[in-house]
Amino acid sequence: MSRNGSAILFFFSSALLVAAGAGCGDSHLGGYFDGGPDVSGGGFDLRLEIPTTVTPPPPIDPGSKLLVPNEALLVGNGPDSCSNQSPPTSDRWCAFSAPSSFLGNHDLWVINITRVLSGKTVTCTGSDPNCLRLTSTLFDGDLTMHGFQGDTLIYYAENNGNSMNFIGTAYAWRPEWAVPRALSSQ
C-alpha cells in the first residue's frame, strides 16, 4: 500500500473510532455492551453490571494472632521482606510499613517473627523490643525498594523528592543494632 493509502486508512480508522465513541452517548466507564437497543431511543444500550452478592473474606484461622491492629504492608518483594541470612545469625525479623501518626507519613517497623512463632506476645506500640519503629518518614512511593539483604535491612527515608522520585537518605539496620545507621546523606 502506498504512503497516501496508509494515511487515508489511518484517517478512516480514526474517524470510525470517533464515530463509534460518539454513538455511545453518556456512558459510564465499566459498562458493558449487550447489543440491544438503547432505552432512550437511539444508539446502543450500555449498562453497568453491578454484582448482587459480595464474597465474604476467608475465615481467620483459630491459631492466628493479631500483630498489627491497622493497615500494614510488608516491604520488599517477598523473599527480602524478612531477614534471610543463611545460616541465620540471629532471630528472623520482618519489615512492614504502616500509616504514621504524622499526617501523610508512613512508619517503618521491624518485628521479631521468631519470638512471635515461639508464642511470645509481641505488640507494635513502640515499647516492645521485639517490634521496633525505625522511622516515621519512610519513602512509600515504592515499598519494594526497601528490603533485607541477609540480616541487613536497607530502607529509604526523609524524602525531599516527590512520591515517585526518591531524594533522601538511605539507612541500614541489623537485629543487633539499637538504632539504624545512615548510609548516605540527603
Side-chain angles (χ1 to χ4, degrees):
M1 180 179 290
S2 72
R3 188 176 180 121
N4 280 345
S6 297
I8 292 171
L9 181 59
F10 174 77
F11 176 77
F12 180 76
S13 300
S14 300
L16 184 61
L17 287 174
V18 169
C24 291
D26 296 331
S27 65
H28 298 284
L29 293 177
Y32 70 94
F33 174 67
D34 72 355
D38 185 0
V39 291
S40 65
F44 293 99
D45 189 10
L46 187 64
R47 299 182 189 179
L48 181 62
E49 182 78 23
I50 300 174
T52 56
T53 60
V54 176
T55 305
I60 296 174
D61 186 89
S64 298
K65 293 180 183 181
L66 179 64
L67 299 176
V68 181
N70 297 314
E71 176 187 331
L73 300 169
L74 285 173
V75 302
N77 59 19
D80 65 350
S81 298
C82 298
S83 58
N84 52 56
Q85 186 76 35
S86 182
T89 58
S90 68
D91 290 348
R92 293 291 187 199
W93 289 74
C94 294
F96 66 92
S97 170
S100 176
S101 58
F102 299 105
L103 187 62
N105 286 349
H106 281 80
D107 293 341
L108 176 66
W109 294 83
V110 287
I111 187 168
N112 187 332
I113 294 299
T114 302
R115 297 292 167 97
V116 170
L117 294 175
S118 72
K120 179 167 178 41
T121 300
V122 175
T123 59
C124 295
T125 59
S127 61
D128 189 331
N130 291 300
C131 189
L132 306 171
R133 180 180 21 227
L134 300 181
T135 186
S136 289
T137 60
L138 182 69
F139 176 66
D140 65 334
D142 180 4
L143 292 179
T144 63
M145 68 188 286
H146 317 286
F148 280 92
Q149 295 178 15
D151 282 348
T152 304
L153 172 64
I154 306 294
Y155 68 92
Y156 305 88
E158 302 159 6
N159 185 32
N160 288 324
N162 59 38
S163 64
M164 299 307 293
N165 297 316
F166 175 76
I167 301 171
T169 306
Y171 287 90
W173 177 84
R174 293 182 57 84
E176 65 270 13
W177 294 353
V179 295
R181 298 179 186 172
L183 298 177
S184 72
S185 64
Q186 288 274 332

